[in-house]
Amino acid sequence: YNTLTDSEEVISEISAMHLQNLAEIFVKYNVQHQLGVHLIHSHAKVAAGKVMLSHRFTDPSGYWNRATPLYEVNLAEVHGHVFKLVDENRFVAYEYVVGRGNDLSNIGAGFLIELAGYIESNGLGETVGLQVRDQDAGNMVEFDFGDCGTVMLNAQESCHDTPFRTTGWIFSCDEGIISFKGVETHAPTTKGPHKVFIDGKLAPDVAALKAILRRYNVIG
């Protein structure tokens, strides 16, 4: 995770050409309902012995992603969420989510080999990540609260300024037309920038996190 480009320093974007080509690969193998792509980035340096782990919460619906000590992680109850291609042929998770993941048993080696080949041959290894989709999620907006971690909220349930970067895309095939759609973005808070530096000690639990979100007018 610490080798990834920080979100404040991201320059590369995923072009429409690459997104369309990726969409055709996903549809070819019929995995577009389970997987999407993600613009690879990090938000902070993670100390040794910790991993970036997301917890789902409700009212409003969203995810809280923060550095979590490994000794607190039950490996039987988490799954990889975003994966980066390494060594030309392996996808390795760099962010995880609490809860059981979707059944991916139908995804064969052919898809992963072709996807890895496209990423490698086009120099996209530091840009394009493979993401496991949350079937229930709609359009999501992410905010960075420093040591408190990042918060991904349903766009319709949050207050924010104009999104400035798309970070997640899904693919579809309707009546033979293959297309892509951006569904995750970075946006500033209504009070200031996208990244707000908050001491992690101020958010020991979800209730405290929501108090911070209210303070910055992210939620009502």
Side-chain angles (χ1 to χ4, degrees):
Y1 188 88
N2 288 344
T3 65
L4 307 179
T5 302
D6 187 275
S7 64
E8 298 290 289
E9 301 173 355
V10 168
I11 299 175
S12 299
E13 300 286 348
I14 305 176
S15 70
M17 178 194 73
H18 286 312
L19 287 168
Q20 186 62 40
N21 292 340
L22 289 165
E24 292 176 6
I25 294 174
F26 279 61
V27 170
K28 174 182 176 181
Y29 291 94
N30 195 31
V31 300
Q32 69 274 16
H33 301 295
Q34 299 159 284
L35 302 170
V37 297
H38 193 75
L39 178 66
I40 293 176
H41 63 278
S42 65
H43 289 276
K45 296 302 181 184
V46 178
K50 292 187 176 183
V51 64
M52 293 302 293
L53 182 66
S54 286
H55 298 259
R56 191 170 187 170
F57 59 87
T58 58
D59 192 30
S61 57
Y63 289 91
W64 182 13
N65 187 26
R66 58 176 174 168
T68 304
L70 285 170
Y71 64 80
E72 295 182 6
V73 179
N74 183 342
L75 297 180
E77 296 181 356
V78 303
H79 65 275
H81 179 53
V82 189
F83 298 76
K84 182 180 185 294
L85 179 66
V86 299
D87 300 332
E88 300 182 6
N89 60 7
R90 293 190 301 123
F91 286 94
V92 176
Y94 63 85
E95 289 187 1
Y96 299 81
V97 176
V98 173
R100 292 188 176 275
N102 298 328
D103 182 7
L104 304 179
S105 60
N106 66 307
I107 297 175
F111 165 71
L112 296 174
I113 290 171
E114 185 165 348
L115 177 62
Y118 186 86
I119 291 174
E120 183 66 21
S121 63
N122 288 281
L124 299 173
E126 301 299 321
T127 307
V128 174
L130 178 62
Q131 182 168 343
V132 178
R133 288 184 56 181
D134 178 349
Q135 300 296 329
D136 298 326
N139 292 333
M140 306 292 284
V141 181
E142 186 175 37
F143 304 90
D144 188 336
F145 287 96
D147 290 343
C148 287
T150 65
V151 178
M152 185 81 77
L153 296 172
N154 186 294
Q156 295 183 336
E157 298 181 75
S158 62
C159 301
H160 53 82
D161 210 335
T162 304
F164 61 90
R165 177 188 296 130
T166 302
T167 59
W169 295 262
I170 59 175
F171 307 120
S172 63
C173 181
D174 296 315
E175 299 182 351
I177 299 176
I178 299 173
S179 61
F180 60 87
K181 176 186 177 182
V183 293
E184 294 182 0
T185 59
H186 284 172
T189 67
T190 58
K191 282 193 170 184
H194 164 70
K195 190 164 190 172
V196 181
F197 293 94
I198 304 291
D199 190 331
K201 295 178 182 178
L202 297 178
D205 52 37
V206 172
L209 174 71
K210 289 182 178 180
I212 292 172
L213 296 180
R214 291 188 184 94
R215 186 192 315 164
Y216 285 89
N217 293 335
V218 172
I219 61 175

